[in-house]
Each structure stands twice: as structure tokens, then as C-alpha cells.
């Protein structure tokens, strides 16, 4: 999503937000993974970010926030992926595995192409957002392939 890049426009941000909302609306909210995914998002009423305690620099250090976002979504994504792997036939999983490998390659290539260090807040924001989106897509895959 171009909005994650350094010079993203408000229109590009709105387009990304719309895409997230559209995909998220297709994931059944009673899905246990969706419930867990929803808890990763900031709970501004309690000033938390899915953590028991708010990091000291939560509101002041975007690098820390984006790194924590990325780590939480990546951990969730790995758990979701393992669950899908355990529930679908080997042949179906091979297709998903190929897709996941390509997604990782694309993500890493984009990060390397950014005009900033991979630990810059823009790169971390991209990694967090694209991982968040991949979580949504895998939840849709899970919902489409496995009956609850």
C-alpha cells in the first residue's frame, strides 16, 4: 500500500483503510481467530496496545509502537498459519505454502527497496500493516476451507 511509504497521500491512506475494512467485514466476527486479532488493536479507552502494561514510550516513540505491532501480528500470523496447516489436506496446504513463500519474498523485496533502513518507522509501519492484512486474508482462507 503506497500510503505506508514515506510520502503517502491522504487518499492513499483512505484507500488502504477501505480495503482493510472491506476484507475485515468478510471475516466472521465469531471466528476465534478474529476475536484474538481484534484484541491486538489498540484499546485506547484503557491506553493499551494489546499489552498488560503500556510501554513507557508508547505515545512518544513510533518505532517502538510499530515494532510491537509487527511482532504481535507476526506471532498471530504464525499461529494462524500453523492452525490452517493442521486442518487441511497436504495438497491444499502446498498451494497455501507457495502463496505464503511468495508473500514473504514480496514483503522483503519491498522493504529492501524503501529509501530507509528496515528498522525505520516507515519500514516497520509497512511490515506491521502488511502482516495485519495477511492475517485477515488467512482468516478468510480458514473460514472458506474449514467448517467450524
Amino acid at each position: 500500500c503506497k500510503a505506508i511509504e514515506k510520502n503517502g497521500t491522504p487518499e492513499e491512506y483512505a484507500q488502504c483503510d477501505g480495503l482493510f475494512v472491506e476484507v475485515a467485514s468478510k471475516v466472521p466476527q465469531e471466528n476465534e481467530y478474529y476475536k484474538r486479532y481484534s484484541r491486538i488493536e489498540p484499546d485506547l479507552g484503557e491506553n493499551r496496545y494489546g499489552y498488560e502494561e503500556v510501554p513507557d514510550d508508547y505515545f512518544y516513540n513510533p518505532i517502538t509502537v510499530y515494532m510491537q505491532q509487527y511482532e504481535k501480528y507476526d506471532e498471530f500470523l504464525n499461529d494462524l498459519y500453523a492452525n490452517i496447516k493442521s486442518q487441511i489436506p497436504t495438497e491444499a496446504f502446498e498451494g497455501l505454502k507457495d502463496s505464503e513463500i511468495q508473500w514473504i519474498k514480496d514483503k522483503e523485496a519491498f522493504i529492501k527497496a524503501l529509501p530507509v533502513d528496515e528498522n525505520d518507522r516507515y519500514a516497520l509501519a509497512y511490515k506491521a500493516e502488511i502482516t495485519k492484512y495477511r492475517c485477515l486474508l488467512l482468516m478468510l482462507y480458514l473460514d472458506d476451507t474449514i467448517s467450524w
Side-chain angles (χ1 to χ4, degrees):
C1 181
K2 287 186 173 256
I4 305 303
E5 295 177 33
K6 210 169 196 173
N7 297 316
T9 66
E11 292 80 17
E12 289 168 334
Y13 278 105
Q15 184 180 16
C16 285
D17 288 345
L19 184 59
F20 271 94
V21 169
E22 180 183 339
V23 173
S25 71
K26 295 178 181 179
V27 178
Q29 293 189 4
E30 65 276 0
N31 177 318
E32 286 303 313
Y33 276 93
Y34 186 78
K35 290 176 185 177
R36 285 181 49 204
Y37 168 87
S38 297
R39 289 191 301 267
I40 296 172
E41 289 297 296
D43 184 347
L44 297 177
E46 296 181 26
N47 291 330
R48 297 195 319 190
Y49 199 83
Y51 297 90
E52 293 303 315
E53 294 183 27
V54 181
D56 290 337
D57 58 357
Y58 171 75
F59 294 104
Y60 307 105
N61 187 344
I63 292 174
T64 300
V65 173
Y66 291 135
M67 180 60 85
Q68 290 172 344
Q69 278 183 316
Y70 172 67
E71 289 170 353
K72 285 287 191 179
Y73 283 114
D74 191 54
E75 179 183 324
F76 177 81
L77 180 67
N78 291 330
D79 184 46
L80 179 59
Y81 185 74
N83 184 347
I84 292 171
K85 180 180 180 180
S86 72
Q87 295 191 46
I88 63 175
T90 304
E91 303 81 34
F93 178 72
E94 287 304 315
L96 177 63
K97 180 179 165 185
D98 291 344
S99 170
E100 194 71 8
I101 290 169
Q102 187 60 51
W103 175 77
I104 292 168
K105 287 178 182 178
D106 292 346
K107 177 181 73 167
E108 290 173 354
F110 184 85
I111 295 294
K112 286 181 183 178
L114 288 174
V116 296
D117 180 75
E118 71 178 66
N119 291 316
D120 179 87
R121 69 180 183 169
Y122 298 107
L124 291 171
Y126 173 78
K127 286 179 9 180
E129 289 298 307
I130 198 67
T131 304
K132 175 181 174 181
Y133 186 69
R134 185 65 178 182
C135 290
L136 286 171
L137 293 177
L138 284 182
M139 283 187 282
L140 282 176
Y141 180 87
L142 181 66
D143 189 58
D144 287 345
T145 58
I146 300 167
S147 309
W148 293 100

